[in-house]
């Protein structure tokens, strides 16, 4: 199993960024995919979940209305479109895969750093 | 939303000690709890799911118990490689909330 994130970087407050995660080594279309972030020196924060065909999605209150998760089951990829970025969104963002058909996290990518600063 | 409260936030124990970390859910979540280990500078790893099922490859000194609102992660004999932060997570339905973490150190 491999999860490879890309798209992180430095962005100004109010800006946008799209993260990508290329997945391989498992049945992608049957897996729940989540994004989890971790601010420097802080704990883990689940932020979004995409299930199956991608029409069922969930968000943490902290990002609802600003972030959009999507997936491409043909190309085994999941995306996180981030808008209205705030300084407090600065974190390492991990792409993760659910265990079996469930939502416990079995695999984590290496993470991509997002820094929101002027 | 259901909150997950971990305690203690940190602990220091001697090698070979038995270590217990607790996680309390604000509502009944049956057994839909996972535990993760994050070593310093590393990506988190799944230790336990369904409250008590050891994930593949995890040493048997780790165990989990509980159901409903109260859950426990136990390390039966603390080893140097267990220095890490441990997180619980509810995962039955979104939001898939994590606990605040417990930092484990060796005296």
């Amino acid at each position: 199993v491999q999860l490879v994130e890309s798209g992180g970087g430095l962005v100004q407050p109010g800006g946008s960024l799209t993260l990508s995660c290329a997945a391989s080594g498992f049945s992608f279309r049957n897996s729940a995919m989540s994004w989890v972030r971790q601010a420097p020196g802080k704990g883990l924060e689940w932020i979004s979940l995409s299930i199956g065909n991608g029409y069922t999605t969930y968000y943490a209150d902290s990002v609802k209305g600003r972030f959009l998760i999507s997936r491409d089951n043909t190309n085994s990829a999941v995306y996180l479109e981030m808008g209205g970025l705030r300084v407090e969104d600065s974190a390492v963002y991990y792409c993760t895969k659910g265990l079996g058909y469930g939502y416990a996290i079995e695999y984590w990518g290496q993470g991509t750093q997002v820094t929101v600063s002027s | 939303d259901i909150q997950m409260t971990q305690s203690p936030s940190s602990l220091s124990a001697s090698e070979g000690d038995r270590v217990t970390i607790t996680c309390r859910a604000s509502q009944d979540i049956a057994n839909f709890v996972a535990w993760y280990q994050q070593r310093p500078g590393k990506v988190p790893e799944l230790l336990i799911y369904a409250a008590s099922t050891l994930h593949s490859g995890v040493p048997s000194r780790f165990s989990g118990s509980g159901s409903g609102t109260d859950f426990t992660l136990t390390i039966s004999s603390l080893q140097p490689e267990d220095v890490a932060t441990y997180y619980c997570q509810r995962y039955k339905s979104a939001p898939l909330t994590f606990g605040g973490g417990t930092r484990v150190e060796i005296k």
Side-chain angles (χ1 to χ4, degrees), chain B residues 15-78:
Chain B
E15 185 175 342
D17 280 357
R18 183 181 184 88
V19 168
T20 299
I21 298 167
T22 63
C23 184
R24 175 163 288 177
S26 58
Q27 296 178 37
D28 189 332
I29 56 172
N31 69 335
F32 289 90
V33 165
W35 290 93
Y36 303 89
Q37 176 193 63
Q38 186 176 31
R39 294 187 173 108
K42 301 297 185 182
V43 173
E45 295 180 349
L46 177 64
L47 293 175
I48 287 168
Y49 61 96
S52 60
T53 303
L54 212 62
H55 187 48
S56 175
V58 175
S60 59
R61 63 180 179 275
F62 290 93
S63 64
S65 65
S67 66
T69 61
D70 294 318
F71 304 88
T72 299
L73 172 69
T74 299
I75 308 172
S76 61
S77 176
L78 188 66

Short mmCIF file of all heavy atoms in Angstrom, two decimals, chain B residues 15-78:
data_model
loop_
_atom_site.label_atom_id
_atom_site.label_comp_id
_atom_site.label_asym_id
_atom_site.label_seq_id
_atom_site.Cartn_x
_atom_site.Cartn_y
_atom_site.Cartn_z
N GLU B 15 11.35 1.29 32.28
CA GLU B 15 11.32 0.14 31.37
C GLU B 15 10.83 -1.09 32.13
O GLU B 15 11.23 -1.34 33.27
CB GLU B 15 12.72 -0.13 30.82
CG GLU B 15 12.79 -1.22 29.79
CD GLU B 15 14.18 -1.37 29.17
OE1 GLU B 15 14.98 -0.42 29.28
OE2 GLU B 15 14.45 -2.43 28.57
N GLY B 16 9.91 -1.82 31.51
CA GLY B 16 9.32 -2.99 32.13
C GLY B 16 8.05 -2.73 32.90
O GLY B 16 7.34 -3.67 33.28
N ASP B 17 7.72 -1.47 33.14
CA ASP B 17 6.49 -1.12 33.86
C ASP B 17 5.26 -1.40 33.01
O ASP B 17 5.30 -1.39 31.79
CB ASP B 17 6.49 0.37 34.24
CG ASP B 17 7.32 0.66 35.47
OD1 ASP B 17 7.86 -0.28 36.08
OD2 ASP B 17 7.43 1.86 35.82
N ARG B 18 4.16 -1.60 33.70
CA ARG B 18 2.85 -1.70 33.06
C ARG B 18 2.29 -0.28 32.96
O ARG B 18 2.28 0.46 33.94
CB ARG B 18 1.94 -2.58 33.89
CG ARG B 18 0.57 -2.83 33.30
CD ARG B 18 -0.24 -3.71 34.26
NE ARG B 18 -1.54 -4.08 33.75
CZ ARG B 18 -1.77 -5.15 33.00
NH1 ARG B 18 -0.75 -5.96 32.70
NH2 ARG B 18 -2.98 -5.44 32.58
N VAL B 19 1.84 0.08 31.77
CA VAL B 19 1.35 1.43 31.51
C VAL B 19 -0.10 1.36 31.02
O VAL B 19 -0.43 0.53 30.16
CB VAL B 19 2.23 2.13 30.45
CG1 VAL B 19 1.57 3.41 29.95
CG2 VAL B 19 3.62 2.41 31.01
N THR B 20 -0.92 2.22 31.58
CA THR B 20 -2.33 2.25 31.19
C THR B 20 -2.74 3.66 30.79
O THR B 20 -2.46 4.62 31.52
CB THR B 20 -3.22 1.76 32.35
OG1 THR B 20 -2.88 0.42 32.67
CG2 THR B 20 -4.69 1.80 31.93
N ILE B 21 -3.38 3.76 29.65
CA ILE B 21 -3.91 5.02 29.13
C ILE B 21 -5.42 4.85 28.97
O ILE B 21 -5.88 3.81 28.48
CB ILE B 21 -3.27 5.36 27.76
CG1 ILE B 21 -1.75 5.53 27.92
CG2 ILE B 21 -3.89 6.61 27.17
CD1 ILE B 21 -1.01 5.56 26.59
N THR B 22 -6.16 5.87 29.37
CA THR B 22 -7.61 5.76 29.26
C THR B 22 -8.16 6.79 28.28
O THR B 22 -7.58 7.84 28.05
CB THR B 22 -8.29 5.94 30.62
OG1 THR B 22 -8.02 7.25 31.10
CG2 THR B 22 -7.76 4.93 31.62
N CYS B 23 -9.30 6.44 27.74
CA CYS B 23 -10.00 7.29 26.78
C CYS B 23 -11.49 7.20 27.11
O CYS B 23 -12.04 6.09 27.22
CB CYS B 23 -9.72 6.80 25.36
SG CYS B 23 -10.43 7.80 24.05
N ARG B 24 -12.11 8.33 27.28
CA ARG B 24 -13.53 8.36 27.62
C ARG B 24 -14.31 9.09 26.54
O ARG B 24 -13.95 10.22 26.15
CB ARG B 24 -13.74 9.03 28.98
CG ARG B 24 -15.22 9.21 29.35
CD ARG B 24 -15.38 9.48 30.83
NE ARG B 24 -15.11 8.28 31.61
CZ ARG B 24 -15.12 8.25 32.95
NH1 ARG B 24 -15.34 9.37 33.63
NH2 ARG B 24 -14.88 7.14 33.60
N ALA B 25 -15.35 8.44 26.05
CA ALA B 25 -16.23 9.06 25.05
C ALA B 25 -17.39 9.75 25.75
O ALA B 25 -17.87 9.28 26.78
CB ALA B 25 -16.75 8.00 24.09
N SER B 26 -17.85 10.84 25.17
CA SER B 26 -18.94 11.60 25.79
C SER B 26 -20.30 10.93 25.59
O SER B 26 -21.28 11.32 26.23
CB SER B 26 -18.96 13.03 25.25
OG SER B 26 -19.11 13.03 23.85
N GLN B 27 -20.36 9.94 24.68
CA GLN B 27 -21.57 9.14 24.48
C GLN B 27 -21.15 7.70 24.20
O GLN B 27 -20.00 7.44 23.87
CB GLN B 27 -22.38 9.66 23.28
CG GLN B 27 -22.93 11.06 23.43
CD GLN B 27 -23.67 11.49 22.17
OE1 GLN B 27 -24.35 10.70 21.51
NE2 GLN B 27 -23.54 12.76 21.82
N ASP B 28 -22.12 6.82 24.30
CA ASP B 28 -21.87 5.41 24.02
C ASP B 28 -21.45 5.23 22.56
O ASP B 28 -22.18 5.63 21.65
CB ASP B 28 -23.15 4.61 24.30
CG ASP B 28 -22.94 3.11 24.25
OD1 ASP B 28 -22.04 2.65 23.52
OD2 ASP B 28 -23.69 2.39 24.93
N ILE B 29 -20.28 4.64 22.35
CA ILE B 29 -19.80 4.39 20.99
C ILE B 29 -19.53 2.90 20.77
O ILE B 29 -18.73 2.52 19.91
CB ILE B 29 -18.54 5.23 20.66
CG1 ILE B 29 -17.43 5.00 21.68
CG2 ILE B 29 -18.90 6.71 20.58
CD1 ILE B 29 -16.10 5.66 21.29
N ALA B 30 -20.17 2.07 21.58
CA ALA B 30 -19.99 0.61 21.48
C ALA B 30 -18.50 0.29 21.56
O ALA B 30 -17.84 0.69 22.50
CB ALA B 30 -20.64 0.10 20.19
N ASN B 31 -17.96 -0.42 20.56
CA ASN B 31 -16.53 -0.75 20.58
C ASN B 31 -15.78 -0.12 19.41
O ASN B 31 -14.71 -0.59 19.02
CB ASN B 31 -16.34 -2.27 20.58
CG ASN B 31 -16.74 -2.88 19.25
OD1 ASN B 31 -17.55 -2.31 18.53
ND2 ASN B 31 -16.15 -4.01 18.91
N PHE B 32 -16.33 0.96 18.85
CA PHE B 32 -15.73 1.56 17.67
C PHE B 32 -14.62 2.54 18.06
O PHE B 32 -14.71 3.76 17.83
CB PHE B 32 -16.80 2.25 16.82
CG PHE B 32 -17.72 1.29 16.13
CD1 PHE B 32 -18.88 0.84 16.74
CD2 PHE B 32 -17.41 0.83 14.86
CE1 PHE B 32 -19.73 -0.05 16.11
CE2 PHE B 32 -18.25 -0.06 14.21
CZ PHE B 32 -19.41 -0.50 14.84
N VAL B 33 -13.59 1.97 18.65
CA VAL B 33 -12.43 2.76 19.08
C VAL B 33 -11.16 2.15 18.52
O VAL B 33 -10.98 0.94 18.55
CB VAL B 33 -12.35 2.83 20.61
CG1 VAL B 33 -10.97 3.31 21.07
CG2 VAL B 33 -13.40 3.78 21.14
N ALA B 34 -10.29 3.02 18.03
CA ALA B 34 -8.97 2.62 17.57
C ALA B 34 -7.92 3.36 18.39
O ALA B 34 -8.17 4.45 18.90
CB ALA B 34 -8.80 2.93 16.09
N TRP B 35 -6.76 2.72 18.49
CA TRP B 35 -5.60 3.34 19.16
C TRP B 35 -4.44 3.41 18.18
O TRP B 35 -4.19 2.46 17.43
CB TRP B 35 -5.18 2.52 20.37
CG TRP B 35 -6.13 2.56 21.53
CD1 TRP B 35 -7.15 1.68 21.79
CD2 TRP B 35 -6.16 3.52 22.58
NE1 TRP B 35 -7.80 2.04 22.95
CE2 TRP B 35 -7.21 3.16 23.44
CE3 TRP B 35 -5.38 4.65 22.89
CZ2 TRP B 35 -7.51 3.90 24.61
CZ3 TRP B 35 -5.69 5.38 24.03
CH2 TRP B 35 -6.74 4.99 24.88
N TYR B 36 -3.74 4.53 18.21
CA TYR B 36 -2.61 4.76 17.32
C TYR B 36 -1.37 5.14 18.13
O TYR B 36 -1.48 5.78 19.18
CB TYR B 36 -2.91 5.89 16.32
CG TYR B 36 -4.14 5.65 15.50
CD1 TYR B 36 -5.38 6.08 15.95
CD2 TYR B 36 -4.07 4.98 14.29
CE1 TYR B 36 -6.53 5.85 15.20
CE2 TYR B 36 -5.21 4.74 13.53
CZ TYR B 36 -6.43 5.19 14.00
OH TYR B 36 -7.57 4.94 13.26
N GLN B 37 -0.22 4.79 17.59
CA GLN B 37 1.06 5.17 18.16
C GLN B 37 1.77 6.08 17.18
O GLN B 37 1.85 5.78 15.99
CB GLN B 37 1.93 3.92 18.39
CG GLN B 37 3.33 4.19 18.90
CD GLN B 37 4.21 2.95 18.79
OE1 GLN B 37 4.50 2.45 17.72
NE2 GLN B 37 4.65 2.46 19.94
N GLN B 38 2.27 7.21 17.68
CA GLN B 38 3.07 8.09 16.84
C GLN B 38 4.41 8.32 17.53
O GLN B 38 4.49 9.07 18.51
CB GLN B 38 2.36 9.42 16.58
CG GLN B 38 3.13 10.29 15.59
CD GLN B 38 2.41 11.58 15.24
OE1 GLN B 38 1.67 12.14 16.04
NE2 GLN B 38 2.62 12.06 14.01
N ARG B 39 5.44 7.67 17.01
CA ARG B 39 6.78 7.88 17.52
C ARG B 39 7.27 9.26 17.10
O ARG B 39 6.79 9.82 16.11
CB ARG B 39 7.72 6.80 17.02
CG ARG B 39 7.40 5.40 17.55
CD ARG B 39 8.47 4.41 17.16
NE ARG B 39 8.27 3.12 17.77
CZ ARG B 39 7.87 2.05 17.10
NH1 ARG B 39 7.60 2.13 15.82
NH2 ARG B 39 7.72 0.90 17.73
N PRO B 40 8.21 9.83 17.84
CA PRO B 40 8.70 11.18 17.50
C PRO B 40 9.17 11.29 16.06
O PRO B 40 9.99 10.49 15.60
CB PRO B 40 9.86 11.37 18.49
CG PRO B 40 9.51 10.51 19.66
CD PRO B 40 8.84 9.31 19.07
N GLY B 41 8.62 12.25 15.35
CA GLY B 41 9.01 12.51 13.97
C GLY B 41 8.48 11.52 12.96
O GLY B 41 8.86 11.58 11.78
N LYS B 42 7.60 10.63 13.39
CA LYS B 42 7.09 9.59 12.49
C LYS B 42 5.59 9.74 12.23
O LYS B 42 4.90 10.51 12.91
CB LYS B 42 7.37 8.20 13.10
CG LYS B 42 8.83 7.92 13.34
CD LYS B 42 9.62 7.90 12.05
CE LYS B 42 11.07 7.49 12.30
NZ LYS B 42 11.87 7.52 11.04
N VAL B 43 5.13 8.97 11.27
CA VAL B 43 3.72 8.92 10.93
C VAL B 43 2.99 8.01 11.95
O VAL B 43 3.56 7.02 12.39
CB VAL B 43 3.55 8.36 9.51
CG1 VAL B 43 2.09 8.15 9.17
CG2 VAL B 43 4.21 9.29 8.49
N PRO B 44 1.77 8.34 12.30
CA PRO B 44 1.02 7.46 13.22
C PRO B 44 0.84 6.05 12.64
O PRO B 44 0.81 5.88 11.42
CB PRO B 44 -0.33 8.16 13.36
CG PRO B 44 -0.07 9.58 13.05
CD PRO B 44 0.99 9.56 11.98
N GLU B 45 0.71 5.09 13.55
CA GLU B 45 0.49 3.70 13.14
C GLU B 45 -0.66 3.13 13.96
O GLU B 45 -0.79 3.41 15.15
CB GLU B 45 1.75 2.86 13.36
CG GLU B 45 2.92 3.26 12.51
CD GLU B 45 4.15 2.40 12.73
OE1 GLU B 45 4.15 1.62 13.70
OE2 GLU B 45 5.10 2.50 11.95
N LEU B 46 -1.46 2.31 13.31
CA LEU B 46 -2.59 1.67 13.97
C LEU B 46 -2.09 0.56 14.89
O LEU B 46 -1.33 -0.31 14.47
CB LEU B 46 -3.55 1.10 12.92
CG LEU B 46 -4.75 0.32 13.44
CD1 LEU B 46 -5.69 1.22 14.25
CD2 LEU B 46 -5.50 -0.31 12.27
N LEU B 47 -2.53 0.60 16.13
CA LEU B 47 -2.21 -0.45 17.09
C LEU B 47 -3.39 -1.40 17.29
O LEU B 47 -3.24 -2.62 17.23
CB LEU B 47 -1.87 0.15 18.46
CG LEU B 47 -0.61 0.99 18.60
CD1 LEU B 47 -0.56 1.58 20.02
CD2 LEU B 47 0.62 0.16 18.32
N ILE B 48 -4.53 -0.83 17.57
CA ILE B 48 -5.71 -1.60 17.99
C ILE B 48 -6.95 -1.00 17.34
O ILE B 48 -7.06 0.22 17.22
CB ILE B 48 -5.83 -1.56 19.53
CG1 ILE B 48 -4.76 -2.46 20.16
CG2 ILE B 48 -7.22 -1.98 20.00
CD1 ILE B 48 -4.61 -2.29 21.65
N TYR B 49 -7.88 -1.86 16.93
CA TYR B 49 -9.18 -1.41 16.46
C TYR B 49 -10.25 -2.27 17.11
O TYR B 49 -9.94 -3.28 17.75
CB TYR B 49 -9.25 -1.46 14.93
CG TYR B 49 -9.07 -2.84 14.34
CD1 TYR B 49 -10.17 -3.63 14.01
CD2 TYR B 49 -7.80 -3.34 14.09
CE1 TYR B 49 -10.00 -4.88 13.48
CE2 TYR B 49 -7.62 -4.60 13.56
CZ TYR B 49 -8.72 -5.37 13.24
OH TYR B 49 -8.56 -6.62 12.71
N ALA B 50 -11.48 -1.84 16.94
CA ALA B 50 -12.60 -2.50 17.61
C ALA B 50 -12.33 -2.66 19.11
O ALA B 50 -12.66 -3.68 19.72
CB ALA B 50 -12.91 -3.86 16.97
N ALA B 51 -11.70 -1.65 19.66
CA ALA B 51 -11.40 -1.52 21.09
C ALA B 51 -10.36 -2.51 21.61
O ALA B 51 -9.58 -2.16 22.51
CB ALA B 51 -12.67 -1.63 21.94
N SER B 52 -10.31 -3.73 21.05
CA SER B 52 -9.45 -4.74 21.65
C SER B 52 -8.74 -5.64 20.64
O SER B 52 -8.02 -6.55 21.05
CB SER B 52 -10.26 -5.63 22.61
OG SER B 52 -11.30 -6.29 21.93
N THR B 53 -8.93 -5.41 19.35
CA THR B 53 -8.31 -6.26 18.33
C THR B 53 -6.95 -5.69 17.94
O THR B 53 -6.86 -4.56 17.47
CB THR B 53 -9.21 -6.38 17.10
OG1 THR B 53 -10.48 -6.90 17.48
CG2 THR B 53 -8.56 -7.29 16.06
N LEU B 54 -5.92 -6.50 18.15
CA LEU B 54 -4.56 -6.08 17.83
C LEU B 54 -4.35 -6.09 16.32
O LEU B 54 -4.65 -7.08 15.64
CB LEU B 54 -3.58 -7.05 18.50
CG LEU B 54 -2.24 -6.51 18.97
CD1 LEU B 54 -2.42 -5.43 20.02
CD2 LEU B 54 -1.38 -7.65 19.53
N HIS B 55 -3.88 -4.97 15.79
CA HIS B 55 -3.61 -4.90 14.36
C HIS B 55 -2.41 -5.81 14.02
O HIS B 55 -1.54 -6.05 14.87
CB HIS B 55 -3.33 -3.47 13.94
CG HIS B 55 -3.19 -3.27 12.46
ND1 HIS B 55 -4.09 -3.78 11.54
CD2 HIS B 55 -2.25 -2.62 11.73
CE1 HIS B 55 -3.71 -3.45 10.33
NE2 HIS B 55 -2.60 -2.74 10.42
N SER B 56 -2.37 -6.26 12.79
CA SER B 56 -1.31 -7.15 12.33
C SER B 56 0.07 -6.57 12.60
O SER B 56 0.34 -5.40 12.31
CB SER B 56 -1.48 -7.39 10.83
OG SER B 56 -0.43 -8.16 10.32
N GLY B 57 0.95 -7.40 13.19
CA GLY B 57 2.32 -6.99 13.43
C GLY B 57 2.58 -6.23 14.71
O GLY B 57 3.73 -5.94 15.05
N VAL B 58 1.54 -5.91 15.44
CA VAL B 58 1.71 -5.15 16.69
C VAL B 58 2.10 -6.11 17.81
O VAL B 58 1.49 -7.17 17.97
CB VAL B 58 0.40 -4.41 17.04
CG1 VAL B 58 0.51 -3.73 18.41
CG2 VAL B 58 0.06 -3.39 15.96
N PRO B 59 3.13 -5.76 18.58
CA PRO B 59 3.57 -6.66 19.66
C PRO B 59 2.47 -6.96 20.66
O PRO B 59 1.63 -6.10 20.96
CB PRO B 59 4.71 -5.86 20.32
CG PRO B 59 5.19 -4.94 19.26
CD PRO B 59 3.99 -4.57 18.46
N SER B 60 2.50 -8.15 21.19
CA SER B 60 1.44 -8.62 22.09
C SER B 60 1.46 -7.93 23.45
O SER B 60 0.54 -8.10 24.25
CB SER B 60 1.55 -10.13 22.29
OG SER B 60 2.81 -10.47 22.82
N ARG B 61 2.49 -7.13 23.75
CA ARG B 61 2.48 -6.40 25.01
C ARG B 61 1.45 -5.26 24.99
O ARG B 61 1.13 -4.70 26.02
CB ARG B 61 3.87 -5.83 25.33
CG ARG B 61 4.40 -4.81 24.37
CD ARG B 61 5.77 -4.31 24.80
NE ARG B 61 6.34 -3.35 23.87
CZ ARG B 61 7.01 -3.68 22.79
NH1 ARG B 61 7.23 -4.94 22.51
NH2 ARG B 61 7.50 -2.72 21.99
N PHE B 62 0.94 -4.95 23.81
CA PHE B 62 -0.12 -3.95 23.70
C PHE B 62 -1.48 -4.67 23.77
O PHE B 62 -1.68 -5.71 23.16
CB PHE B 62 -0.04 -3.19 22.36
CG PHE B 62 1.14 -2.27 22.27
CD1 PHE B 62 2.34 -2.70 21.72
CD2 PHE B 62 1.04 -0.97 22.74
CE1 PHE B 62 3.43 -1.85 21.63
CE2 PHE B 62 2.13 -0.11 22.65
CZ PHE B 62 3.33 -0.54 22.10
N SER B 63 -2.39 -4.07 24.51
CA SER B 63 -3.75 -4.61 24.55
C SER B 63 -4.74 -3.48 24.77
O SER B 63 -4.38 -2.41 25.29
CB SER B 63 -3.89 -5.66 25.66
OG SER B 63 -3.69 -5.07 26.93
N GLY B 64 -5.96 -3.71 24.35
CA GLY B 64 -7.01 -2.72 24.51
C GLY B 64 -8.25 -3.36 25.11
O GLY B 64 -8.49 -4.56 24.94
N SER B 65 -9.01 -2.56 25.81
CA SER B 65 -10.25 -3.06 26.40
C SER B 65 -11.26 -1.94 26.50
O SER B 65 -10.93 -0.76 26.32
CB SER B 65 -9.99 -3.66 27.79
OG SER B 65 -9.54 -2.66 28.68
N GLY B 66 -12.49 -2.33 26.81
CA GLY B 66 -13.54 -1.35 27.03
C GLY B 66 -14.65 -1.43 26.02
O GLY B 66 -14.52 -2.06 24.96
N SER B 67 -15.75 -0.80 26.36
CA SER B 67 -16.89 -0.67 25.46
C SER B 67 -17.81 0.40 26.04
O SER B 67 -17.74 0.71 27.23
CB SER B 67 -17.64 -1.99 25.28
OG SER B 67 -18.25 -2.36 26.49
N GLY B 68 -18.64 0.94 25.18
CA GLY B 68 -19.55 1.99 25.64
C GLY B 68 -18.87 3.35 25.66
O GLY B 68 -18.74 3.99 24.63
N THR B 69 -18.42 3.77 26.83
CA THR B 69 -17.79 5.09 26.94
C THR B 69 -16.36 5.05 27.47
O THR B 69 -15.65 6.04 27.36
CB THR B 69 -18.62 6.01 27.85
OG1 THR B 69 -18.69 5.43 29.16
CG2 THR B 69 -20.02 6.24 27.30
N ASP B 70 -15.95 3.96 28.07
CA ASP B 70 -14.64 3.90 28.71
C ASP B 70 -13.74 2.85 28.08
O ASP B 70 -14.13 1.68 27.98
CB ASP B 70 -14.80 3.63 30.21
CG ASP B 70 -15.47 4.79 30.93
OD1 ASP B 70 -15.13 5.95 30.63
OD2 ASP B 70 -16.35 4.54 31.78
N PHE B 71 -12.54 3.30 27.67
CA PHE B 71 -11.62 2.45 26.95
C PHE B 71 -10.22 2.58 27.53
O PHE B 71 -9.86 3.63 28.07
CB PHE B 71 -11.61 2.82 25.47
CG PHE B 71 -12.98 2.75 24.85
CD1 PHE B 71 -13.82 3.85 24.87
CD2 PHE B 71 -13.44 1.58 24.28
CE1 PHE B 71 -15.10 3.78 24.34
CE2 PHE B 71 -14.71 1.49 23.74
CZ PHE B 71 -15.54 2.59 23.78
N THR B 72 -9.46 1.51 27.38
CA THR B 72 -8.11 1.49 27.95
C THR B 72 -7.13 0.89 26.97
O THR B 72 -7.43 -0.12 26.32
CB THR B 72 -8.10 0.66 29.25
OG1 THR B 72 -8.99 1.24 30.20
CG2 THR B 72 -6.71 0.59 29.85
N LEU B 73 -5.96 1.50 26.88
CA LEU B 73 -4.82 0.92 26.18
C LEU B 73 -3.78 0.58 27.23
O LEU B 73 -3.44 1.42 28.06
CB LEU B 73 -4.23 1.92 25.18
CG LEU B 73 -2.91 1.50 24.51
CD1 LEU B 73 -3.15 0.34 23.55
CD2 LEU B 73 -2.28 2.67 23.78
N THR B 74 -3.30 -0.65 27.20
CA THR B 74 -2.32 -1.10 28.18
C THR B 74 -1.07 -1.59 27.47
O THR B 74 -1.15 -2.32 26.47
CB THR B 74 -2.89 -2.23 29.05
OG1 THR B 74 -4.03 -1.74 29.76
CG2 THR B 74 -1.85 -2.72 30.06
N ILE B 75 0.08 -1.16 27.98
CA ILE B 75 1.36 -1.72 27.56
C ILE B 75 1.84 -2.55 28.76
O ILE B 75 2.09 -1.98 29.83
CB ILE B 75 2.39 -0.63 27.21
CG1 ILE B 75 1.79 0.36 26.20
CG2 ILE B 75 3.66 -1.25 26.65
CD1 ILE B 75 2.67 1.58 25.94
N SER B 76 1.95 -3.84 28.59
CA SER B 76 2.20 -4.72 29.74
C SER B 76 3.62 -4.58 30.29
O SER B 76 3.84 -4.73 31.50
CB SER B 76 1.93 -6.17 29.36
OG SER B 76 2.80 -6.58 28.32
N SER B 77 4.56 -4.28 29.42
CA SER B 77 5.95 -4.14 29.84
C SER B 77 6.61 -3.11 28.93
O SER B 77 6.98 -3.41 27.80
CB SER B 77 6.68 -5.48 29.74
OG SER B 77 8.04 -5.35 30.07
N LEU B 78 6.74 -1.90 29.43
CA LEU B 78 7.18 -0.77 28.61
C LEU B 78 8.60 -0.98 28.09
O LEU B 78 9.52 -1.33 28.86
CB LEU B 78 7.11 0.52 29.44
CG LEU B 78 7.36 1.82 28.70
CD1 LEU B 78 6.24 2.09 27.69
CD2 LEU B 78 7.46 2.97 29.70
#
